[in-house]
Amino acid sequence: MRPATYCVPVTDGAEQEPGTAEQDAPEASIKDQVLEQMGGWQGLVYSALPVMAFVPANAVWGLKGGAIAALAVAALVAVIRLATRTSIQPAISGFFGVAVCVVIAMIVGGNGKGYFLYGIVMQAVFAVAFAVSLLVRWPLVGVLWHLFDERKKEQTGAAAGAGADWRSDRRQYRTFAWLTVLWIAMFAVRFAVQFALYQNDDVGGLGVARIIMGWPMFAVGLLITFLVARRATHARTE
């Protein structure tokens, strides 16, 4: 009878605890992280479709025709997402946003420029909110970045960060303050351009501005934020 043999794997330290392995996993690329925040390439396309449907339909069939076209396209997007089993949450949010714009447009009446009023007002609201965050020394970009970072660490099982003490790091604080200024400028430019078009009753121009100054501008701002914020926060931990 042969003696029992027990196989003990020799790892030379190659194996890691699950938490460590997750922590050492390579981070997603900047492009992937930016796209993830915007709902992917499909999210970019879907967000522009209701506006692209509203403007020509409004010009040809009037406000009611434009409203029906925008709502129909937003509903179709939700159905496509559901059928393809992709995330439906952005589609629901998008449909709700389109519905709000349609209701405001019907209340304002006229040539349909009211469809864009909600978006214009929200740019002013965001600009003021980010400006106030600077005044109270809680730059909103820094707050949102660290909330996002902590959430990502919780999902991957990595060690939690230092929390709100990023404000005591002068380099990080200045970085996030300037990034907040960047977003204030972006919201202010959006508001100024679109409000001027609104005052001039330029519905076609509002549609073009909403698309060009929507996801493309947001993507640029988000990309700059990711690049600068990651560099600032990584430098602190090194």
Side-chain angles (χ1 to χ4, degrees), residues 125-214:
V125 171
F126 288 142
V128 171
F130 276 62
V132 169
S133 75
L134 276 181
L135 293 177
V136 299
R137 299 185 61 80
W138 278 91
L140 201 48
V141 173
V143 174
L144 295 174
W145 174 266
H146 285 85
L147 285 175
F148 166 79
D149 192 46
E150 292 299 320
R151 181 183 175 189
K152 187 171 71 170
K153 287 176 180 178
E154 288 177 2
Q155 292 174 343
T156 59
D165 71 346
W166 59 270
R167 292 195 310 141
S168 63
D169 183 333
R170 293 185 61 186
R171 185 168 185 261
Q172 274 205 68
Y173 180 83
R174 287 197 302 267
T175 297
F176 286 115
W178 280 111
L179 286 173
T180 301
V181 170
L182 170 68
W183 283 86
I184 293 172
M186 185 179 73
F187 293 133
V189 168
R190 281 177 171 176
F191 172 79
V193 172
Q194 294 180 35
F195 184 71
L197 293 170
Y198 182 88
Q199 291 290 84
N200 292 329
D201 297 327
D202 189 350
V203 178
L206 281 168
V208 173
R210 173 68 64 84
I211 294 172
I212 293 178
M213 305 182 80

Side-chain angles (χ1 to χ4, degrees), residues 39-58:
W41 292 111
Q42 288 182 337
L44 299 180
V45 175
Y46 291 156
S47 65
L49 291 180
V51 175
M52 294 175 65
F54 175 82
V55 173
N58 177 70

Side-chain angles (χ1 to χ4, degrees), residues 17 43-44 83 108 111 119 128 138 144 159 188 214 227 230 233:
E17 294 295 326
L44 299 180
V108 173
N111 64 351
V128 171
W138 278 91
L144 295 174
L227 288 171
R230 281 186 62 181
T233 53

Side-chain angles (χ1 to χ4, degrees), residues 28-53:
S29 68
I30 292 291
K31 181 187 75 173
D32 292 339
Q33 292 186 55
V34 171
L35 282 176
E36 179 185 355
Q37 297 305 305
M38 297 187 299
W41 292 111
Q42 288 182 337
L44 299 180
V45 175
Y46 291 156
S47 65
L49 291 180
V51 175
M52 294 175 65

